[in-house]
């Protein structure tokens, strides 16, 4: 009798699992999307290290061939006709300077392209001379930073947004350098700030100290399918689980709004 009950228990478990599989899981039958990672090695060492860390981290997310990852140090190899094949372009540590490359990227974004940028990808000053990119980013030129790199308490300003829905309302970042801007992205009607430096950090920094002020570090320009995250300095940026989770969330959110359709939506066949 005992063996009889065990048999039916096992059968019941099998039926439940089979049923749940059909309803709740969807394995990719082909790569769901294509992502291009742009970076430079002609930059300061800490930004090179972040590029390597970012490539390694996202490469880890390709296990199982769920999506296609390409990386390049030369965006000139990706004119618009090629760029538009990608569902997202990630600027890891730099932005292009070549006028043709800039124009192709602008066309890509204005035609529904997806973009995730980190740290120095948004750095710009008087020599940058790319007004469209300033509008796109929603921030002005670089103003100041704290120094040296250190962890910071971050405030998650909304947990309604898909990028932050599963995050605590505050978390401590990995060590990083954080930028403040001449024009606050929060002042733009088309910008939504998701995460900022907590005022509890002030005075923030040891050599270069920031004493006060609004310090957004992750935001989206709602006119585009984009998100910018300000961390990205050094080789230990991917050591904090909550921060890594937000990076994955950001990547997925941008992709989920692709004009080609949400690559994570269930197949309907
Ligand atoms: Zn930096």
């Amino acid at each position: 009798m005992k063996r009889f009950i065990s048999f039916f228990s096992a059968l019941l478990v099998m039926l439940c699992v089979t049923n749940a599989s059909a309803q709740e899981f969807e394995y990719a039958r082909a790569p769901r999307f294509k992502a291009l990672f742009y970076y430079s090695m002609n930059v300061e060492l800490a930004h090179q290290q972040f590029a390597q860390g970012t490539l390694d981290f996202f490469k880890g997310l390709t296990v199982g061939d769920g999506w296609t990852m390409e990386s390049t140090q030369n965006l000139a190899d990706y004119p618009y006709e090629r760029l538009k094949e990608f569902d997202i372009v990630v600027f890891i540590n730099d932005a292009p300077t070549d006028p043709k490359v800039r124009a192709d990227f602008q066309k890509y974004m204005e035609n529904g392209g997806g973009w995730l940028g980190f740290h120095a990808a948004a750095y710009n000053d008087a020599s940058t001379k790319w007004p469209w990119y300033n509008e796109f980013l929603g921030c002005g030129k670089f103003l100041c930073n704290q120094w040296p790199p250190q962890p910071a308490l971050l405030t998650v300003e909304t947990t309604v947004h898909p990028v932050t829905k599963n995050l605590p309302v505050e978390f401590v970042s990995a060590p990083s350098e954080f930028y403040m801007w001449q024009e606050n992205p929060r002042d733009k009607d088309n910008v939504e700030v998701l995460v900022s430096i907590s005022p509890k950090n002030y005075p923030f920094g040891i050599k270069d100290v920031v004493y006060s002020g609004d310090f957004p570090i992750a935001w989206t320009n709602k006119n585009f399918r984009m998100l910018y995250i300000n961390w990205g300095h050094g080789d230990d940026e991917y050591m904090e689980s909550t921060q890594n989770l937000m990076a994955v969330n950001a990547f997925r959110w941008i992709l989920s709004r692709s004009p080609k359709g949400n690559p994570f939506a269930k197949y309907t066949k």
Side-chain angles (χ1 to χ4, degrees):
M1 185 65 184
K2 198 172 175 187
R3 188 175 293 174
F4 185 73
I5 292 170
S6 298
F7 170 76
F8 275 97
S9 298
L11 191 65
L12 195 63
V13 167
M14 267 174 62
L15 284 171
C16 287
V17 168
T18 307
N19 197 33
S21 298
Q23 290 180 358
E24 304 299 336
F25 305 123
E26 179 60 69
Y27 295 112
R29 296 169 193 173
R32 294 180 191 272
F33 57 88
K34 286 179 72 174
L36 178 65
F37 289 73
Y38 167 62
Y39 66 104
S40 174
M41 283 302 184
N42 189 26
V43 292
E44 65 180 276
L45 177 62
H47 295 176
Q48 294 178 32
Q49 291 170 330
F50 178 68
Q52 192 57 57
T54 301
L55 292 172
D56 291 346
F57 178 77
F58 282 92
K59 188 75 182 171
L61 298 178
T62 68
V63 171
D65 298 324
W67 56 285
T68 302
M69 177 177 178
E70 284 189 31
S71 60
T72 184
Q73 295 182 55
N74 186 10
L75 268 186
D77 292 339
Y78 292 84
Y80 174 71
E81 288 303 317
R82 191 168 174 206
L83 208 52
K84 72 179 184 183
E85 295 172 9
F86 290 87
D87 304 283
I88 186 170
V89 177
V90 181
F91 283 9
I92 302 177
N93 66 359
D94 203 8
T97 55
D98 180 83
K100 168 74 167 64
V101 173
R102 286 178 168 183
D104 280 354
F105 174 69
Q106 179 179 342
K107 187 175 178 184
Y108 168 73
M109 289 310 303
E110 290 177 341
N111 286 277
W115 182 84
L116 175 62
F118 291 98
H119 196 54
Y123 178 87
N124 69 102
D125 56 27
S127 68
T128 308
K129 295 185 172 56
W130 192 9
W132 176 85
Y133 194 56
N134 276 104
E135 286 296 315
F136 168 74
L137 290 170
C139 62
K141 295 181 178 64
F142 169 82
L143 175 65
C144 66
N145 59 288
Q146 109 290 351
W147 195 257
Q150 64 162 88
L153 181 67
L154 305 183
T155 302
V156 175
E157 300 196 13
T158 171
T159 52
V160 174
H161 197 282
V163 173
T164 52
K165 66 179 182 183
N166 48 3
L167 303 184
V169 293
E170 288 184 327
F171 67 95
V172 177
S173 73
S176 197
E177 173 197 28
F178 294 96
Y179 299 159
M180 216 182 242
W181 308 94
Q182 290 184 20
E183 292 169 38
N184 189 342
R186 195 189 301 277
D187 295 340
K188 303 275 169 61
D189 290 340
N190 55 321
V191 167
E192 181 177 9
V193 175
L194 304 180
V195 180
S196 55
I197 299 284
S198 170
K200 294 175 190 169
N201 293 290
Y202 294 136
F204 184 38
I206 293 174
K207 174 185 173 290
D208 300 333
V209 181
V210 180
Y211 291 94
S212 64
D214 186 22
F215 217 134
I217 65 120
W219 66 84
T220 178
N221 175 347
K222 293 181 282 186
N223 294 339
F224 294 94
R225 194 161 61 87
M226 67 83 85
L227 189 95
Y228 172 71
I229 298 176
N230 187 230
W231 64 62
H233 187 104
D235 60 2
D236 46 11
E237 287 281 18
Y238 289 93
M239 61 184 274
E240 291 294 341
S241 297
T242 305
Q243 181 164 319
N244 294 353
L245 176 58
M246 187 177 138
V248 174
N249 288 348
F251 188 64
R252 285 182 56 108
W253 176 62
I254 296 161
L255 287 158
S256 73
R257 294 158 62 233
S258 170
K260 298 173 193 167
N262 181 351
F264 308 111
K266 289 184 180 179
Y267 293 98
T268 51
K269 284 199 274 188

